[in-house]
Amino acid sequence: MWTYNTAIVLIGAALLGAQCAVVGTFAVLRRRALLGDVLAHAALPGIVLAFWLTGNRSLPILLTGAASTGLIGIAILAYLKKRSRTREDAALGLVLSVFFGIGIALSRYVQNAVPGGGKAGLDTFIFGKTAGIVLADVLGVALVGALSLVLVMGTFKELRMVSFDPQFAATQGYPVVFLDLLMMGLVVVAVVVGLPMVGIVMVAALTILPAVAARFWTSRLPVLLALAATIGMVATSLGALWSAAQPGWPTGPVMILLAGGLFVLSALFAPHRGLITDLRRRSRARAALAEKAAEELLRARQTVTLSDLSRLGFRRPRQTLELLVSRGVALARAGTWVWANPPAPSEDRS
Amino acid sequence: MTLAPALRIEHLSVAYDDRPVLENVNLELGRGKLIGIVGPNGAGKSTLLKAILGLTPKLLGSIELLGEPLRGADLRLGYVPQRESVDWDFPVTVAEVVAMGTYGRVGWFRRPSAAERTRVQRALDQVGLSEYASRQISQLSGGQQQRTFLARALVQDAEVYLLDEPFAGIDATTEEALIEVLLDLRAQGRTLVAVHHDLGTVAKFFDEVVLLHRHVLAFGPPDEVLTPTLLEVAYSSKSTSRSAWGA
C-alpha cells in the first residue's frame, strides 16, 4: 500500500490535521467552536453553484464557491444574533441546517438535470474522499497551512489576549473586531481546505476535537497548540492510511473516529484534569470528610451502630468505622462500635 | 490656571436596544480622588465605566479625559473589570495576564521588553502575588483573581483607573492589598473611580460618591450623598422594578 499516491495523501492529511487543530484551539478558547460547523454546512450550496455556473470541477473553483456561501451563512448568523431575538444556539442550528438543505437539494438537481452533473463527484464532499488527492492539492494545503501557522505565531500575543479578555484588549487599543475576523478567517480557510478530504459533515470536528482533547493534558497555551496539532495530525494521517488500505471506508468519518478516540482517552486518563483523577480526588475527599464526621459522632455518642451511620447518609459506614478502628479511635464490639477513648494527640507522641 | 478634571462627562446617554440605561449624565471628576459609584442594580454603574472606556457605544454625549476629548482607547485610562467577566479556566499564567497590561505600549507583533517584565514583577509584588507568577489562573482564589486584574491595571501606569466592583466577594488580605494600592495611587495624584455595592463601607473607602440611577442623583462627599432622603429616591423609586441588592 506504500505507493507514491499514499505518501502524498498522508502528507496532505497530516498538514490539514495540524492546521485545523491550531486555528481550532483559538476558536474553542474564544467560545466559537461551532463556527466551523456552520461554515462547512453552509459551504455545500456554494460548491454546487460553482460547478453549475462554471461547468468546471477543479478544486480551486469549487472551494471558492464553498467559501462564498460559507461566509454568507456566517454573516446571516451574525445578523440574527445581533438584530433578531433568536438565541445564538438556535440561530446556529437554523443557519446550518437550512444551508445544508439548500445544498443537498441543489446538488440533486444538478446531478440529475445538468449535463456532466452526475459525474462531478459533488456527493464526495459530504463525507470526504482522499483517493482523488494529487500533488497539486497537497502543495495547496501545505501553502495555506504554512501561511496560517505564520499568522498564528505572529499574532499569538494578540490572539491570546482577545480570546481571554476581548474588552481589555479593546482598552489596550487593539481592534477586537479585526482580530476576531482574523481568527474567523483562519477557521474559514482551514475548513474550506479540509472539505474535499474530510467532508462537510465532519471537517469542523477537526477544529474542535484536538483542542478539547489536548486541553486535558496541559494548561500552557503553547504546549496546548503543539499537542492539539499532534493529535490532529495523528488522527488525519492514520485516517488517510486506513482509507487507503480499506477503500470502502469513508475518510472523514474514520479521521473523526480516531480523533474522538483520542479525546475519550484524554478525558479518561489525563492526569489532573482527567475523569479518573477527578473521581479519585472526589472520593478521597469524601472519605476523609466521612471519617472525620464519624469520629466526631462517636466521640459525642460513645457508641454507634452501622444503621446510625446509614441513617445519616454515610455511604460506606463499615469501611469508615474500620478506618477508625485501625487508627485506634474506635473499638468493634458485636455489631456496635464504641469510642476507644484514645489519648488526645500531643506534640511528644511522635 | 486650574488643571482640567480627570474626567468630564457631558450629556452622556446610553441605551441597549430600546432600553435607556444612562440618561443625560453630567459629571466632573477631580484629579487625585477616590470616587465611588453607588446605586441599585441596573442603575447603569458598569455601563457608565464601559461607556467611558468606549466598550459600550454612546447614544449622545462627550467625554473628556484630562482636558482632551476621548477618542478610542486611551492608555491613560486603566480598567479593572468584574472578575466574572472572563473564563478563569483559560490556559494562561498569572504573569501572562498581568503582562497584558503592557500590551497597549508594546504594540503589535512585539513582545514585552525586559523593562516591561520588571514592571510586571513589581506589580505582582505590590499586590502580593509574586509567588503565584507562574501559576495557572485556574488555581487562584477569588481574591487572588481580583489582585491579578489589579496588577494588570497597575502595569499599564494609567492616570485614571476605572474599577468595576473591586471589593465584591474578596478576602481580608485582598481588601487590605487593594486599599493600600488605591491609596498609593491616589497619593501619586491619580484618580480612581470604583463601582461599589456596599453602602455601609462607602464612607470608609471613598472621598466622593456618585449616586447613580440612570441619572446622577447626587455627587459629593459621602456624608452629603448618602442621606436617607437621597437613598430612598435611588433605591425605592418606582422605576426600579428590580431593586435587588448586589452586583
Side-chain angles (χ1 to χ4, degrees), chain B residues 69-91:
Chain B
L70 257 177
R71 280 194 204 86
D74 193 312
L75 293 178
R76 292 172 301 174
L77 206 50
Y79 182 38
V80 179
Q82 287 187 22
R83 260 189 299 135
E84 295 78 19
S85 62
V86 300
D87 169 19
W88 289 95
D89 196 37
F90 195 93

Side-chain angles (χ1 to χ4, degrees), chain B residues 20-88:
Chain B
V21 185
L22 292 172
E23 284 174 39
N24 198 27
V25 168
N26 292 284
L27 277 172
E28 209 162 276
L29 306 177
R31 294 190 192 195
K33 297 239 171 70
L34 237 167
I35 298 157
I37 302 178
V38 298
N41 252 353
K45 305 187 293 291
S46 299
T47 304
L48 177 57
L49 299 194
K50 285 184 183 169
I52 296 170
L53 288 156
L55 298 175
T56 296
K58 316 190 278 269
L59 207 61
L60 295 167
S62 73
I63 298 168
E64 280 178 17
L65 174 70
L66 306 163
E68 296 161 29
L70 257 177
R71 280 194 204 86
D74 193 312
L75 293 178
R76 292 172 301 174
L77 206 50
Y79 182 38
V80 179
Q82 287 187 22
R83 260 189 299 135
E84 295 78 19
S85 62
V86 300
D87 169 19
W88 289 95

Side-chain angles (χ1 to χ4, degrees), chain A residues 25-26 28-31 82-83 85 151 153-176 178-179 182 215 218-222 224 273, chain B residues 17-18 50 53 55-56 73-75 77 79 81 85-93 96-97 100-112 134-138 149 152-153 156:
Chain A
T25 300
F26 282 107
V28 168
L29 289 174
R30 185 79 175 91
R31 305 195 167 201
K82 194 163 180 218
R83 289 276 167 238
R85 290 171 196 270
L151 272 173
M153 288 199 303
T155 57
F156 175 77
K157 167 177 124 262
E158 288 78 12
L159 290 178
R160 180 175 62 188
M161 175 165 58
V162 86
S163 309
F164 172 63
D165 193 346
Q167 297 213 317
F168 188 79
T171 69
Q172 293 297 298
Y174 287 83
V176 173
F178 173 78
L179 283 166
L182 172 68
R215 185 69 182 92
T218 180
S219 290
R220 303 256 160 200
L221 190 49
L224 181 66
R273 293 176 75 95
Chain B
D17 298 324
D18 55 353
K50 285 184 183 169
L53 288 156
L55 298 175
T56 296
D74 193 312
L75 293 178
L77 206 50
Y79 182 38
S85 62
V86 300
D87 169 19
W88 289 95
D89 196 37
F90 195 93
V92 64
T93 65
E96 284 164 353
V97 170
M100 288 177 192
T102 70
Y103 284 7
R105 277 193 304 271
V106 170
W108 282 83
F109 309 121
R110 300 216 311 271
R111 311 190 62 185
S134 54
R135 293 270 188 97
Q136 288 301 313
I137 57 168
S138 55
F149 270 181
R152 180 177 68 170
Q156 190 181 325

Side-chain angles (χ1 to χ4, degrees), chain A residues 283-298:
Chain A
S283 80
R284 232 187 333 230
R286 252 191 217 146
L289 204 68
E291 192 188 333
K292 223 162 116 190
E295 187 178 336
E296 292 300 316
L297 191 72
L298 196 59

Side-chain angles (χ1 to χ4, degrees), chain A:
Chain A
M1 71 189 232
W2 273 111
T3 61
Y4 168 74
N5 200 48
T6 313
I8 297 270
V9 166
L10 196 63
I11 293 169
L15 288 171
L16 176 72
Q19 185 194 352
C20 284
V22 168
V23 303
T25 300
F26 282 107
V28 168
L29 289 174
R30 185 79 175 91
R31 305 195 167 201
R32 302 258 163 91
L34 282 173
L35 198 78
D37 215 14
V38 173
L39 184 84
H41 283 78
L44 185 56
I47 292 169
V48 181
L49 283 174
F51 170 75
W52 194 4
L53 293 178
T54 65
N56 191 325
R57 48 172 302 229
S58 76
L59 269 186
I61 289 179
L62 297 188
L63 293 187
T64 307
S68 315
T69 52
L71 286 172
I72 292 174
I74 294 211
I76 291 177
L77 176 66
Y79 180 81
L80 284 177
K81 192 177 137 192
K82 194 163 180 218
R83 289 276 167 238
S84 82
R85 290 171 196 270
T86 319
R87 284 182 196 279
E88 186 169 15
D89 56 339
L92 277 165
L94 189 148
V95 171
L96 184 151
S97 26
V98 169
F99 270 79
F100 194 51
I102 295 173
I104 297 277
L106 268 178
S107 107
R108 284 291 164 273
Y109 176 74
V110 168
Q111 289 181 48
N112 294 329
V114 176
K119 292 189 205 125
L122 295 176
D123 271 353
T124 62
F125 279 96
I126 294 176
F127 291 124
K129 186 178 156 198
T130 48
I133 302 288
V134 295
L135 184 61
D137 300 333
V138 170
L139 289 178
V141 173
L143 188 72
V144 168
L147 204 67
S148 295
L149 206 63
V150 167
L151 272 173
V152 167
M153 288 199 303
T155 57
F156 175 77
K157 167 177 124 262
E158 288 78 12
L159 290 178
R160 180 175 62 188
M161 175 165 58
V162 86
S163 309
F164 172 63
D165 193 346
Q167 297 213 317
F168 188 79
T171 69
Q172 293 297 298
Y174 287 83
V176 173
V177 173
F178 173 78
L179 283 166
D180 272 342
L181 284 176
L182 172 68
M183 212 183 279
M184 197 182 82
L186 289 168
V187 173
V188 170
V189 167
V191 164
V192 167
V193 163
L195 277 175
M197 241 191 276
V198 193
I200 285 162
V201 183
M202 303 286 163
V203 67
L206 276 191
T207 64
I208 303 174
L209 276 172
V212 181
R215 185 69 182 92
F216 281 103
W217 299 93
T218 180
S219 290
R220 303 256 160 200
L221 190 49
V223 181
L224 181 66
L225 287 166
L227 195 57
T230 311
I231 291 173
M233 281 166 79
V234 168
T236 49
S237 49
L238 288 183
L241 273 183
W242 182 281
S243 73
Q246 307 278 337
W249 289 73
T251 314
V254 172
M255 288 175 175
I256 300 311
L257 266 179
L258 288 165
L262 290 172
F263 165 78
V264 172
L265 288 180
S266 306
L268 285 178
F269 300 112
H272 307 304
R273 293 176 75 95
L275 196 62
I276 290 173
T277 315
D278 249 11
L279 288 177
R280 205 178 285 158
R281 194 163 35 212
R282 202 177 310 173
S283 80
R284 232 187 333 230
R286 252 191 217 146
L289 204 68
E291 192 188 333
K292 223 162 116 190
E295 187 178 336
E296 292 300 316
L297 191 72
L298 196 59
R299 191 206 309 273
R301 294 195 187 170
Q302 296 292 315
T303 312
V304 298
T305 63
L306 283 183
S307 59
D308 287 340
L309 292 196
S310 303
R311 226 187 354 262
L312 286 166
F314 282 79
R315 295 215 179 156
R316 298 168 155 190
R318 186 178 294 274
Q319 282 95 322
T320 306
L321 288 166
E322 272 162 10
L323 256 172
L324 294 185
V325 172
S326 72
R327 278 179 42 215
V329 176
L331 295 170
R333 291 239 176 92
T336 65
W337 277 261
V338 297
W339 183 241
N341 219 359
S346 57
E347 299 299 317
D348 53 50
R349 207 172 51 146
S350 60

